Amino acid sequence: STHKHKLDFTKSKEACLSYIQDAMLQQQWKRAAEFMACYVESLEKDFSREPVSPSEIIWRMGSEILCHHPQSSIKEYNSFVEQMKTIGLKRYLKICLEHTFHLLCNGLIDEAYQNLSMAESWRFGEYTVIQDKEKKLIQAYRGLLDYYSWYKQKNILLEHGQDGFEDLSVEQEMHSSFRKAAVNLQEIIKIPGVWDLFVKCYVDLLEFYGDHNEARQVLNEYAYNSKFPANPNAHVYLYQFLKRQGESKKSLISALKILHDIVPSHELMIDFNTMLQKSKKRKKRRLGLEVIFAALDYAGWKENVKAWSCLARQVKQIIISEKHLEWIKQEWNSRKDWWPAFHFSRYLAKKNWQENKNLSYEKAVVAGILLGKDCKYFKHVSHQGCKAQVKRFRMLKRFMNKHNHVCLRISG
Amino acid sequence: MEFPAALFPSYFVTGPPQEEGGPAPTAGWGEHEQVLEADPGCRQAGTMFVPRRGGMGESWKPADAAAIPLLPPNTSYWIPSLEPQDILYRGALYRKLQTGKSAATLDFTKQLRHFFVDHPEDAFGSMGQLLHQNFFLGNSKLKVSVHLRVIMPSTTPYSGGASLCPFSSPQRQARNSSIRMTALMEEIERLKARRGCPKQYLVPRLRWFSHICRDWLFEVPLGLLADSMHEELLLQWANLLFDDSCTGGALAWLPPKDLCTGCLVYPGGQAMNHLYFQDVVLKELPRAQASPAQFELNGRIRQVAAARVDGEDFVGVRSDYHCGIWRVPGRIGAAPTPLQVIHTDVPASCLTVSPHLPGELAVCTQSGAIYLWSVEMGLQRLRHDTQTMFFRDHSSWHWSDFTAHPRVLSCADRTGLQCLDARAPERCHFDLFKVGQEAGCQQGERVVLPMYLGRAHPSQHLVTTQFSVYVLDERLPMVPVLKWAHMMKAPPLFSHLTPGGPRRSHKVLLGASCTQELLLLQYQAFTSAGQFLSYPSTGGSQSACQLAGPPQKLHSIAGCLQHLPTQLPHHHHLLQQRLDAPAAGLAATLQEDGPQESLLVFQLSEAGDIFYQRLIHEVMQPPAPTLMDEAEPSASPQPLPAVPSPAAALRYRRWLKDFSRGHREHPQHTWPPTFSQKRIFTRRELEMSAGPSTLHQQARQQLRQAMQEGNRIQRWDTPPPQPPLLQLLEPPGGLDTLSARLTTAWSEGWCQWWEEKSNYNVAQRRQALRERRRQQKRARGRRSLSASFTSSHTYQSELSELSDVAPLPPPLSPTVLPRETASSPPPSAVLDEALLSSQSLHCRGIPKERRKTLRDYLSVCAEEPPEPPEPLASQASQACIPSSQSLSQASCTSQPRRKRPRMGF
């Protein structure tokens, strides 16, 4: 009969769970809460040997319900989570972390900080790998909050510093915040991962205290260590740092070149292109053309006026000077079978003209040069432009007529 | 598109997945996962954080109580798909439920049996043709003696073939070597009639036959056939567990070109091989407009994919061995035109339409080939790899989709995704997603459906596995920008994206096939609007991807059953079966009706029915970034509508009417209903009744007879009243031809009888008739009281006998069974009487031990009177007597009494 009892209990437990799940998926939080009250009983008679313990189920579902229930409050949430922490010892750190996140998202920074400090001092046997990771995250988030308090104090000091007023205690507090933050933040960013937030804060601290070498090292490590994922932001942060430091064009270009290699569609490619176009070296101007062509391959750039004007300007220059026509030709060769349909269809000509005259002008320049003045896009846009009596479209037509023979060498 | 300035923190570990677990029913709840500073620019006002999960989403409330039929039911009769019961061993399912583990046992013998019965030509065709001359299936006795030496017909050469030599003709020879198979056939017939009877014992003769023939009778050697059959069964079972052929779904919505008329593309027809383009008007209730454009294809449609390029819709259709592309021009009311069809040797597993270039598609086959298919340029093979990409997996499923770069395609198998450049597919590729620790996968997790989310964000992809759903960014490969455990019971095979405009969340619908689950997720990639009302930021700057709001379960098709009018139980069952059919596709569209916005979700079932449901967007006042304590409890969400609206109810009724009409046209049972003996009587009852009562005996015999012949037991209710007098009238020699032949056949002197019969002297017959008349007169004198009631009968039977005897039946060859003409009903009662007397049996040389059998047999025969004589008024009263009584009268009262005077003969 005990077996039967167990069986019945398991069955009703499962049924209850599915009711809760159903209510939650239909966003009936009150109903879910009522069922949940019954399900808590499963903690008392836990016969299961399942991988997911009832305490975890209760923690997960309970906190979700409390997040959405119309009558729940942060107090209730806190007391619920505190109970869960004592029941689910194995998941203590995870629950602490989630509790902190909930507090942070509700703007309760101080409470979150206390919570993190408590979690950090928790000890229970040996850490598992997962617990070790969670512990490091807890420290990192505490470091982040330390950074924010440092940031606040710094601003106070800066404001008051203008008044000529100095507060030693605030300054001391600021420095201690810095130390605490720096210790915790530098730990996590050594481990492979995506740590944009932590790296940014740490570099900000180092820069403030003038430790530029350390900052540069941290950013280089974050961007170029092969154990880390290929995170475009790592390169962006490095580029921005170098720019702040007033580094030479060469080093900026080499930083962006790597970004171009991993993400050719990054928005910084416009800056990169402008930088390269200004260069006196042929090779760099050539790279600039490559960069802008590559960026415009991507669907997200289709209607980017800036990019089209960059390309139009550079292509126009080449046509006028009649030098390096082969650059255009080489770039165009790998694209001529699909760019016409992708960028220069009649449908797009109409649409671009209706929606963005600037865009259609820049694109018409490129289309006219690459495909000749008989291409659908150029014809439609220049016709519309002349009809609307816009001056630059008439000039464009004249330009095309003048340089038609050069253009034919590209498209031919 | 901008890359987010900061991503949510996460660890990056490489290697195969470590985490064990499997499906966790609650893994998707209760986590924020990570937080990120919301807007670094506004740090002065206090730092704010946004969670990766658990943020605020838009509120979409279902407008109806259940899914509503959009179109009339797919008219053709639907054959329900395979169920576990069909191929599993009978006891297995139940036992499995009891123990909870134990592998499935496939019912192999049943399938083999079905094959032999359903495809005899394929199973025994040529051997049957070889043998059919040597197997005699008639009822007559074989005239020739069976030689031990088997003469093959081919061994005798014909001399020129000019004329057939009567002595060496193959027919003659076959006759010489033929054996009589009638009894065996009868046994088999009997087996067939016993269908449904649990006690199917094999007669030794059958067992003997199958033992002898096992090695040579079958067209395909039995071992080989069994291997193939087993392989097929395993395949079917695997398909039952997870069928990926319909991945992607066979329903597509082409958005309206004017304001409110869109087009739904879906398969239909009995074999789901008709492609329909149906215009649908989005009004209060969406409804079909005009009749659909229809194309008949030569294969079941597995997938329908669509994309709009330059104002034109391109629709790709995949069946197992063919893929086709249709174009729907941009003009309103323009008819769809088929553009091209390709044929594949191996079943295709994927077809996606490029959102960038007109008339471009990606095709994958199960052999691992990936093609870029352009209507203008033809097919370009990008890769052919039979191995899986990252680790070994048995599945041959492949998928491909487009990416932000029109020349770069993503290709997927169960282990992950890669992107390859079509211009240099061997050299230029990178890993986008891998089942491993990089994405935090579990052990055993496999890719189920990838989808390009280009309409929401040009560089994002959705990847679903059986446990989780991931959002990936091409610019940051391997690290999912979003991950969430979807908690669905079956893996999501269909997905649909409804992109949100600026500052709105993107809606992703996930659909499972066999469970019909439907889940709505929202995600967003801008800094949460609700929390920053005081700082109206410009156009929603790009931020890291967040899951917005809790997931929401939508109605399934099966859920509308409770809202349909009540049905008769068997109709209800049919209806349930139909509504429970696995889902086959999913589509959705956003409908803006003035200020009100609603999401229409269409669902296609495998039976070809299309249902829809509407979700209404409720614009909530976003809560100010205050503490939850101070936040006023928001108004409780409106309860779901419990009953369908009148308009919906009307649709249900119409749908049901069409559905039941369709079913009446296709009767499900073509064979006559059979009874299981077990249901009628229990074993004990039958045993009890076996003993004393002849009534029971009669009943049993009749029952057995009916079962053997596979007939109904109709005569049970209206038994022919047997005029008792008739039996007295029978002259000893006056048997009709059939009975006489039967009797002689029994005593193995049939051929001789036939000779005699053909030379029958008319004079002799007249003599016999006169003799009979005399006997009749004698009998009248001894007649009992009851006989007086049926005096007129005697007269009639006399007439019939005369008419029977007078015209001589033409001589028939022994192989052809003489048939009774309608004008000469065999007076079975008479025959009965004559035969049953042991004396007459004896004089016919029937051994004693067989007499009883014969008597039993004939008594059964006797109850089958061909045409009962016109019931008279006196008889009508008798007819009212329950059947069993009159039966007993005939058998137990009159018979023994009749026998006695005969004893003294």
Side-chain angles (χ1 to χ4, degrees):
Chain A
S1 70
T2 42
H3 177 71
K4 191 173 175 295
H5 173 70
K6 275 183 195 177
L7 212 68
D8 286 347
F9 183 69
T10 324
K11 264 187 200 162
S12 49
K13 208 172 78 178
E14 273 166 17
C16 188
L17 190 64
S18 73
Y19 283 139
I20 303 174
Q21 183 86 337
D22 223 47
M24 288 173 80
L25 283 173
Q26 290 175 36
Q27 313 199 338
Q28 301 167 339
W29 304 108
K30 281 181 178 170
R31 208 174 120 229
E34 282 161 23
F35 284 124
M36 196 69 206
C38 306
Y39 189 75
V40 173
E41 201 192 336
S42 68
L43 274 181
E44 291 172 20
K45 302 164 194 163
D46 182 10
F47 304 114
S48 64
R49 296 277 171 276
E50 292 143 29
V52 184
S53 63
S55 63
E56 183 174 341
I57 291 176
I58 289 172
W59 162 62
R60 282 183 178 279
M61 292 187 136
S63 43
E64 187 79 34
I65 292 170
L66 283 173
C67 278
H68 298 283
H69 198 284
Q71 269 134 41
S72 85
S73 67
I74 197 82
K75 267 183 207 151
E76 277 168 353
Y77 185 90
N78 284 343
S79 70
F80 172 76
V81 173
E82 288 304 330
Q83 280 178 42
M84 285 295 115
K85 280 179 191 169
T86 53
I87 291 168
L89 274 179
K90 273 191 203 160
R91 307 288 282 173
Y92 181 87
L93 291 176
K94 175 86 182 166
I95 297 173
C96 278
L97 209 51
E98 285 297 330
H99 189 190
T100 308
F101 293 156
H102 189 78
L103 294 170
L104 284 176
C105 292
N106 284 289
L108 300 164
I109 312 284
D110 293 340
E111 286 86 342
Y113 190 83
Q114 280 169 19
N115 197 20
L116 285 173
S117 308
M118 258 165 56
E120 215 185 344
S121 58
W122 180 77
R123 290 282 178 283
F124 182 75
E126 291 274 306
Y127 284 131
T128 61
V129 180
I130 294 171
Q131 281 175 335
D132 197 45
K133 280 185 179 174
E134 283 162 355
K135 178 124 199 274
K136 291 219 168 78
L137 264 183
I138 284 172
Q139 287 170 342
Y141 273 107
R142 205 165 73 97
L144 188 72
L145 294 188
D146 279 326
Y147 165 80
Y148 287 134
S149 70
W150 169 85
Y151 185 85
K152 220 187 232 167
Q153 284 147 1
K154 182 191 85 174
N155 280 335
I156 294 169
L157 274 184
L158 285 178
E159 274 173 33
H160 290 267
Q162 285 167 350
D163 306 338
F165 165 80
E166 278 186 28
D167 190 338
L168 258 177
S169 68
V170 174
E171 203 177 328
Q172 269 177 354
E173 215 177 298
M174 182 181 111
H175 292 322
S176 87
S177 290
F178 158 70
R179 273 190 297 276
K180 280 192 274 181
V183 166
N184 281 328
L185 288 177
Q186 68 181 356
E187 279 305 308
I188 192 113
I189 58 179
K190 284 179 191 158
I191 307 164
V194 178
W195 309 122
D196 290 1
L197 195 57
F198 303 141
V199 168
K200 263 169 114 174
C201 295
Y202 187 51
V203 168
D204 193 24
L205 285 176
L206 292 174
E207 275 188 273
F208 184 79
Y209 287 97
D211 196 350
H212 299 297
N213 283 338
E214 171 75 7
R216 184 189 299 266
Q217 208 183 328
V218 164
L219 287 170
N220 269 319
E221 176 78 5
Y222 191 51
Y224 299 136
N225 189 337
S226 60
K227 283 182 181 160
F228 281 69
N231 185 352
N233 277 344
H235 300 274
V236 174
Y237 297 157
L238 181 64
Y239 167 73
Q240 286 168 341
F241 173 78
L242 295 174
K243 217 172 159 184
R244 280 199 300 271
Q245 295 296 310
E247 292 277 332
S248 66
K249 274 269 158 63
K250 202 182 157 188
S251 57
L252 288 180
I253 285 176
S254 69
L256 283 180
K257 174 79 175 61
I258 293 168
L259 182 63
H260 166 71
D261 288 343
I262 59 168
V263 187
S265 63
H266 199 277
E267 63 269 15
L268 278 180
M269 290 305 114
I270 299 232
D271 294 12
F272 189 35
N273 172 266
T274 348
M275 225 187 281
L276 290 168
Q277 260 187 320
K278 280 182 194 155
S279 170
K280 290 197 175 73
K281 285 184 186 161
R282 262 197 306 164
K283 220 173 150 188
K284 291 205 170 134
R285 291 210 306 276
R286 167 84 224 256
L287 180 65
L289 191 69
E290 244 179 80
V291 165
I292 200 70
F293 258 111
L296 282 169
D297 280 349
Y298 286 87
W301 287 70
K302 248 182 138 171
E303 292 175 2
N304 192 321
V305 190
K306 245 187 196 169
W308 281 109
S309 76
C310 281
L311 180 63
R313 199 188 317 137
Q314 200 166 357
V315 171
K316 231 167 149 181
Q317 265 175 17
I318 292 174
I319 292 289
I320 292 168
S321 68
E322 290 193 35
K323 272 189 221 160
H324 312 305
L325 280 174
E326 72 279 1
W327 293 357
I328 303 181
K329 214 169 171 179
Q330 276 169 19
E331 292 299 324
W332 182 237
N333 262 344
S334 63
R335 294 179 171 87
K336 64 179 174 195
D337 56 335
W338 59 280
W339 264 40
F342 186 54
H343 285 308
F344 305 128
S345 67
R346 182 186 297 276
Y347 176 85
L348 282 176
K350 281 183 198 162
K351 190 174 167 243
N352 290 343
W353 175 259
Q354 274 171 11
E355 287 171 2
N356 192 340
K357 304 266 186 305
N358 281 340
L359 176 70
S360 65
Y361 171 76
E362 303 292 354
K363 274 179 80 174
V365 174
V366 178
I369 290 168
L370 294 174
L371 287 161
K373 59 177 183 165
D374 290 333
C375 92
K376 287 176 250 170
Y377 195 94
F378 179 80
K379 256 169 112 175
H380 181 86
V381 171
S382 64
H383 179 73
Q384 293 291 331
C386 293
K387 222 164 68 179
Q389 302 205 326
V390 185
K391 195 185 169 194
R392 58 177 174 171
F393 283 98
R394 226 174 293 151
M395 285 184 40
L396 174 64
K397 217 169 182 179
R398 219 170 297 146
F399 172 86
M400 281 307 301
N401 283 331
K402 196 178 162 193
H403 296 280
N404 194 26
H405 62 286
V406 188
C407 299
L408 280 175
R409 273 157 64 191
I410 296 166
S411 54
Chain B
M1 281 283 192
E2 283 175 43
F3 193 78
L7 299 166
F8 284 103
S10 71
Y11 282 98
F12 183 72
V13 191
T14 52
Q18 299 292 318
E19 198 187 331
E20 292 173 32
T26 54
W29 299 120
E31 270 189 59
H32 296 288
E33 210 180 58
Q34 294 293 340
V35 290
L36 199 60
E37 194 183 355
D39 197 347
C42 315
R43 206 179 275 165
Q44 300 286 352
T47 326
M48 288 304 300
F49 288 89
V50 285
R52 195 176 204 170
R53 296 189 328 209
M56 294 292 284
E58 295 169 9
S59 163
W60 292 85
K61 292 275 174 260
D64 293 291
I68 301 167
L70 175 71
L71 302 171
N74 187 13
T75 45
S76 299
Y77 175 64
W78 175 65
I79 301 155
S81 45
L82 193 72
E83 279 176 45
Q85 291 92 312
D86 297 335
I87 57 169
L88 281 191
Y89 181 65
R90 209 180 282 160
L93 260 188
Y94 181 64
R95 225 172 297 140
K96 194 178 172 193
L97 281 178
Q98 276 196 324
T99 55
K101 41 183 186 258
S102 99
T105 324
L106 296 170
D107 196 349
F108 170 68
T109 42
K110 187 167 90 182
Q111 298 304 320
L112 209 57
R113 196 171 67 208
H114 283 319
F115 174 71
F116 289 145
V117 172
D118 295 341
H119 306 279
E121 273 304 309
D122 301 327
F124 315 105
S126 52
M127 198 49 87
Q129 278 185 355
L130 277 177
L131 286 177
H132 105 270
Q133 291 185 330
N134 300 67
F135 279 3
F136 174 61
L137 297 176
N139 275 332
S140 60
K141 189 180 174 341
L142 276 177
K143 211 172 192 178
V144 289
S145 59
V146 179
H147 295 291
L148 284 176
R149 189 167 56 92
V150 178
I151 305 162
M152 296 305 287
S154 57
T155 51
T156 45
Y158 299 113
S159 52
S163 66
L164 281 174
C165 173
F167 293 104
S168 66
S169 79
Q171 275 177 345
R172 186 86 196 155
Q173 278 187 11
R175 176 99 21 92
N176 284 342
S177 62
S178 57
I179 50 170
R180 195 162 173 269
M181 299 297 283
T182 322
L184 199 68
M185 288 304 291
E186 277 168 0
E187 289 295 345
I188 293 170
E189 286 298 314
R190 227 162 282 154
L191 266 187
K192 228 187 265 174
R194 249 185 282 146
R195 175 184 47 210
C197 170
K199 288 218 136 196
Q200 287 192 358
Y201 62 93
L202 272 182
V203 185
R205 196 201 299 260
L206 276 178
R207 205 181 309 157
W208 161 83
F209 182 74
S210 60
H211 261 292
I212 287 183
C213 304
R214 183 178 292 167
D215 292 334
W216 51 266
L217 184 66
F218 303 96
E219 191 84 12
V220 183
L222 197 57
L224 212 63
L225 180 71
D227 276 352
S228 308
M229 177 77 86
H230 198 250
E231 202 177 305
E232 173 65 20
L233 263 183
L234 284 179
L235 200 75
Q236 293 282 347
W237 176 241
N239 267 353
L240 256 184
L241 292 179
F242 178 54
D243 184 8
D244 57 14
S245 61
C246 60
T247 308
L251 186 65
W253 170 258
L254 313 179
K257 279 155 190 155
D258 57 348
L259 284 171
C260 60
T261 312
C263 183
L264 211 53
V265 189
Y266 58 94
Q270 193 159 12
M272 294 289 265
N273 65 332
H274 289 256
L275 182 69
Y276 295 100
F277 292 81
Q278 172 71 62
D279 284 336
V280 175
V281 183
L282 301 178
K283 285 273 169 63
E284 200 96 336
L285 287 170
R287 58 178 175 80
Q289 187 188 46
S291 56
Q294 185 179 344
F295 296 88
E296 189 182 343
L297 315 185
N298 61 353
R300 184 190 179 88
I301 295 169
R302 302 280 186 189
Q303 191 196 344
V304 175
R308 178 166 289 182
V309 190
D310 283 1
E312 284 185 322
D313 289 301
F314 290 87
V315 178
V317 175
R318 168 170 69 89
S319 66
D320 276 344
Y321 294 97
H322 293 94
C323 297
I325 177 169
W326 271 256
R327 185 178 59 198
V328 185
R331 304 184 308 278
I332 297 162
T337 45
L339 296 181
Q340 241 173 37
V341 177
I342 56 164
H343 168 78
T344 56
D345 291 335
V346 193
S349 60
C350 152
L351 183 71
T352 44
V353 187
S354 170
H356 306 305
L357 293 171
E360 259 193 19
L361 302 100
V363 186
C364 296
T365 65
Q366 283 184 1
S367 63
I370 293 161
Y371 297 91
L372 179 64
W373 173 23
S374 160
V375 171
E376 281 172 22
M377 314 287 282
L379 284 170
Q380 182 198 352
R381 189 163 82 180
L382 304 183
R383 172 178 280 188
H384 185 91
D385 198 355
T386 46
Q387 301 285 314
T388 42
M389 285 188 289
F390 297 105
F391 53 87
R392 196 170 295 206
D393 187 82
H394 65 89
S395 172
S396 60
W397 174 86
H398 282 79
W399 193 265
S400 179
D401 210 335
F402 290 85
T403 67
H405 193 298
R407 292 289 100 181
V408 177
L409 265 70
S410 73
C411 67
D413 60 28
R414 296 275 176 236
T415 65
L417 265 85
Q418 271 188 346
C419 289
L420 26 113
D421 195 320
R423 293 165 296 184
E426 286 83 25
R427 282 183 295 115
C428 300
H429 55 83
F430 65 91
D431 300 343
L432 180 59
F433 175 81
K434 184 169 144 186
V435 173
Q437 283 198 76
E438 291 89 344
C441 297
Q442 290 181 34
Q443 285 182 10
E445 194 163 346
R446 294 290 180 269
V447 174
V448 174
L449 175 72
M451 183 171 74
Y452 175 48
L453 297 175
R455 290 197 296 145
H457 188 289
S459 58
Q460 281 177 354
H461 295 257
L462 182 85
V463 173
T464 61
T465 67
Q466 70 269 48
F467 304 135
S468 298
V469 26
Y470 302 84
V471 176
L472 294 157
D473 195 311
E474 283 169 37
R475 299 167 294 183
L476 178 63
M478 305 299 275
V479 185
V481 290
L482 199 67
K483 179 194 172 183
W484 183 68
H486 54 64
M487 304 182 285
M488 285 166 83
K489 292 184 190 84
L493 283 177
F494 321 118
S495 60
H496 186 274
L497 169 77
T498 310
R503 308 201 65 83
R504 294 285 302 274
S505 68
H506 307 300
K507 271 71 72 180
V508 172
L509 284 162
L510 298 177
S513 175
C514 53
T515 52
Q516 291 188 354
E517 282 165 288
L518 211 55
L519 207 62
L520 172 70
L521 302 180
Q522 299 175 49
Y523 78 97
Q524 59 193 23
F526 57 88
T527 40
S528 177
Q531 307 196 11
F532 297 99
L533 278 186
S534 43
Y535 316 101
S537 77
T538 48
S541 69
Q542 198 69 34
S543 82
C545 257
Q546 298 159 253
L547 199 70
Q552 196 176 337
K553 189 173 149 191
L554 307 187
H555 298 307
S556 63
I557 295 179
C560 74
L561 184 66
Q562 54 178 320
H563 301 294
L564 289 168
T566 319
Q567 298 290 304
L568 290 172
H570 64 287
H571 279 162
H572 181 86
H573 175 73
L574 283 176
L575 192 63
Q576 193 174 21
Q577 201 176 34
R578 175 81 168 219
L579 294 175
D580 276 337
L586 166 69
T589 180
L590 208 61
Q591 184 189 350
E592 272 157 290
D593 206 7
Q596 199 186 46
E597 224 183 358
S598 59
L599 188 69
L600 274 175
V601 181
F602 303 101
Q603 224 184 344
L604 171 76
S605 81
E606 255 184 24
D609 301 326
I610 296 181
F611 283 65
Y612 79 91
Q613 55 194 302
R614 186 194 291 274
L615 299 168
I616 294 172
H617 183 207
E618 282 181 358
V619 184
M620 289 187 299
Q621 285 304 311
T626 48
L627 306 185
M628 275 224 174
D629 296 86
E630 297 152 27
E632 278 180 35
S634 60
S636 63
Q638 285 198 343
L640 291 178
V643 285
S645 62
L650 185 70
R651 286 220 173 175
Y652 284 132
R653 275 203 301 278
R654 270 198 206 139
W655 189 87
L656 197 65
K657 207 170 129 195
D658 290 346
F659 173 73
S660 37
R661 191 188 299 141
H663 254 278
R664 240 172 277 137
E665 283 163 13
H666 300 273
Q668 202 176 18
H669 304 289
T670 46
W671 61 83
T674 49
F675 281 99
S676 162
Q677 188 189 358
K678 204 174 166 187
R679 304 263 164 83
I680 300 175
F681 296 113
T682 63
R683 203 190 167 84
R684 185 163 296 169
E685 273 175 321
L686 287 172
E687 269 169 10
M688 294 251 295
S689 61
S693 162
T694 31
L695 165 68
H696 274 110
Q697 227 162 6
Q698 284 278 338
R700 284 182 68 184
Q701 274 165 0
Q702 204 169 15
L703 190 63
R704 199 166 291 151
Q705 166 91 5
M707 283 197 294
Q708 273 175 359
E709 290 168 8
N711 284 338
R712 281 164 232 206
I713 321 175
Q714 287 166 322
R715 285 191 42 259
W716 207 251
D717 344 39
T718 52
Q722 297 277 339
L725 239 176
L726 263 181
Q727 279 127 19
L728 294 173
L729 300 179
E730 163 274 332
L735 290 169
D736 77 313
T737 48
L738 173 68
S739 330
R741 202 168 71 239
L742 274 174
T743 323
T744 43
W746 191 268
S747 55
E748 292 177 339
W750 185 57
C751 294
Q752 206 187 340
W753 175 84
W754 185 253
E755 299 288 314
E756 281 171 23
K757 183 79 185 170
S758 20
N759 302 327
Y760 205 79
N761 198 335
V762 183
Q764 272 180 317
R765 302 182 73 213
R766 283 203 186 123
Q767 178 63 40
L769 196 61
R770 227 170 284 139
E771 177 65 25
R772 206 196 309 176
R773 286 246 171 87
R774 213 177 303 135
Q775 284 201 347
Q776 278 172 9
K777 267 179 205 157
R778 227 182 294 154
R780 251 175 229 150
R782 285 187 268 142
R783 196 163 38 178
S784 64
L785 185 65
S786 65
S788 63
F789 288 106
T790 50
S791 55
S792 56
H793 260 273
T794 14
Y795 173 65
Q796 217 165 24
S797 70
E798 257 177 47
L799 282 179
S800 70
E801 265 166 47
L802 267 173
S803 63
D804 175 39
V805 172
L808 205 73
L812 291 163
S813 87
T815 43
V816 183
L817 269 174
R819 266 185 213 163
E820 276 75 41
T821 46
S823 61
S824 60
S828 48
V830 179
L831 130 97
D832 199 16
E833 185 58 27
L835 283 172
L836 289 180
S837 74
S838 53
Q839 218 171 25
S840 67
L841 289 177
H842 175 73
C843 67
R844 271 164 237 275
I846 294 172
K848 236 183 190 168
E849 61 273 16
R850 282 201 192 167
R851 280 179 209 160
K852 164 86 175 86
T853 330
L854 185 65
R855 224 174 275 144
D856 284 353
Y857 172 71
L858 288 171
S859 67
V860 173
C861 267
E863 283 149 26
E864 191 111 40
E867 265 169 352
E870 286 274 304
L872 296 173
S874 55
Q875 266 194 313
S877 64
Q878 259 190 341
C880 304
I881 303 165
S883 54
S884 55
Q885 266 188 22
S886 62
L887 260 178
S888 66
Q889 260 187 357
S891 56
C892 58
T893 52
S894 61
Q895 272 185 11
R897 224 192 295 156
R898 269 179 281 129
K899 265 181 190 168
R900 221 168 292 136
R902 229 150 273 265
M903 290 287 214
F905 234 60

